CSV table of all heavy atoms in Angstrom, one decimal:
chain,number,residue,atom,x,y,z
A,292,ILE,N,14.8,53.7,-3.1
A,292,ILE,CA,14.8,53.3,-1.7
A,292,ILE,C,13.6,53.9,-1.0
A,292,ILE,O,13.4,55.1,-1.1
A,292,ILE,CB,16.1,53.6,-1.0
A,292,ILE,CG1,17.3,53.0,-1.7
A,292,ILE,CG2,16.1,53.2,0.5
A,292,ILE,CD1,17.2,51.5,-1.9
A,293,ASP,N,12.8,53.1,-0.3
A,293,ASP,CA,11.7,53.5,0.5
A,293,ASP,C,12.1,53.2,2.0
A,293,ASP,O,12.0,52.0,2.3
A,293,ASP,CB,10.4,52.8,0.1
A,293,ASP,CG,9.3,53.2,1.0
A,293,ASP,OD1,9.5,53.9,2.0
A,293,ASP,OD2,8.1,52.8,0.6
A,294,PRO,N,12.4,54.2,2.8
A,294,PRO,CA,12.8,53.9,4.2
A,294,PRO,C,11.7,53.2,5.0
A,294,PRO,O,12.0,52.4,5.9
A,294,PRO,CB,13.1,55.2,4.8
A,294,PRO,CG,13.3,56.2,3.6
A,294,PRO,CD,12.5,55.6,2.5
A,295,GLY,N,10.5,53.3,4.5
A,295,GLY,CA,9.3,52.7,5.2
A,295,GLY,C,9.4,51.2,5.0
A,295,GLY,O,8.7,50.5,5.8
A,296,LEU,N,10.2,50.7,4.1
A,296,LEU,CA,10.3,49.2,3.9
A,296,LEU,C,11.4,48.6,4.8
A,296,LEU,O,11.6,47.4,4.8
A,296,LEU,CB,10.5,48.9,2.4
A,296,LEU,CG,9.3,49.2,1.5
A,296,LEU,CD1,9.7,49.1,0.1
A,296,LEU,CD2,8.2,48.2,1.9
A,297,VAL,N,12.2,49.4,5.5
A,297,VAL,CA,13.2,48.9,6.4
A,297,VAL,C,12.6,48.4,7.6
A,297,VAL,O,11.7,49.0,8.2
A,297,VAL,CB,14.3,50.0,6.7
A,297,VAL,CG1,15.3,49.5,7.7
A,297,VAL,CG2,15.0,50.4,5.4
A,298,ARG,N,13.0,47.2,8.1
A,298,ARG,CA,12.3,46.6,9.2
A,298,ARG,C,12.7,47.1,10.6
A,298,ARG,O,13.8,47.6,10.7
A,298,ARG,CB,12.6,45.1,9.2
A,298,ARG,CG,12.1,44.5,7.9
A,298,ARG,CD,12.4,43.0,7.6
A,298,ARG,NE,11.8,42.7,6.3
A,298,ARG,CZ,11.8,41.5,5.8
A,298,ARG,NH1,12.4,40.5,6.5
A,298,ARG,NH2,11.2,41.2,4.7
A,299,PRO,N,11.8,47.0,11.6
A,299,PRO,CA,12.1,47.5,12.9
A,299,PRO,C,13.4,46.9,13.5
A,299,PRO,O,14.2,47.5,14.2
A,299,PRO,CB,10.9,47.1,13.8
A,299,PRO,CG,9.8,46.8,12.8
A,299,PRO,CD,10.4,46.4,11.5
A,300,ALA,N,13.6,45.6,13.2
A,300,ALA,CA,14.9,44.9,13.6
A,300,ALA,C,15.2,44.0,12.5
A,300,ALA,O,14.5,43.1,12.2
A,300,ALA,CB,14.7,44.2,14.9
A,301,GLU,N,16.3,44.3,11.8
A,301,GLU,CA,16.7,43.6,10.6
A,301,GLU,C,17.6,42.4,10.9
A,301,GLU,O,18.4,42.4,11.9
A,301,GLU,CB,17.4,44.5,9.6
A,301,GLU,CG,17.9,43.9,8.4
A,301,GLU,CD,16.9,43.4,7.4
A,301,GLU,OE1,16.1,42.5,7.8
A,301,GLU,OE2,16.9,43.9,6.2
A,302,VAL,N,17.4,41.3,10.1
A,302,VAL,CA,18.4,40.2,10.1
A,302,VAL,C,19.3,40.6,8.9
A,302,VAL,O,19.0,40.6,7.8
A,302,VAL,CB,17.7,38.9,9.8
A,302,VAL,CG1,18.7,37.8,9.6
A,302,VAL,CG2,16.8,38.5,11.0
A,303,GLU,N,20.6,41.0,9.3
A,303,GLU,CA,21.5,41.6,8.3
A,303,GLU,C,22.0,40.5,7.4
A,303,GLU,O,22.2,40.7,6.2
A,303,GLU,CB,22.6,42.3,9.0
A,303,GLU,CG,22.2,43.5,9.8
A,303,GLU,CD,21.7,44.7,9.0
A,303,GLU,OE1,21.8,44.7,7.8
A,303,GLU,OE2,21.1,45.6,9.6
A,304,THR,N,22.4,39.4,7.9
A,304,THR,CA,23.1,38.4,7.1
A,304,THR,C,22.8,37.0,7.6
A,304,THR,O,22.7,36.7,8.8
A,304,THR,CB,24.6,38.6,7.2
A,304,THR,OG1,25.3,37.7,6.4
A,304,THR,CG2,25.2,38.6,8.6
Side-chain angles (χ1 to χ4, degrees):
I292 301 302
D293 176 354
L296 292 169
V297 175
R298 298 176 180 184
E301 174 68 300
V302 172
E303 297 293 347
T304 180

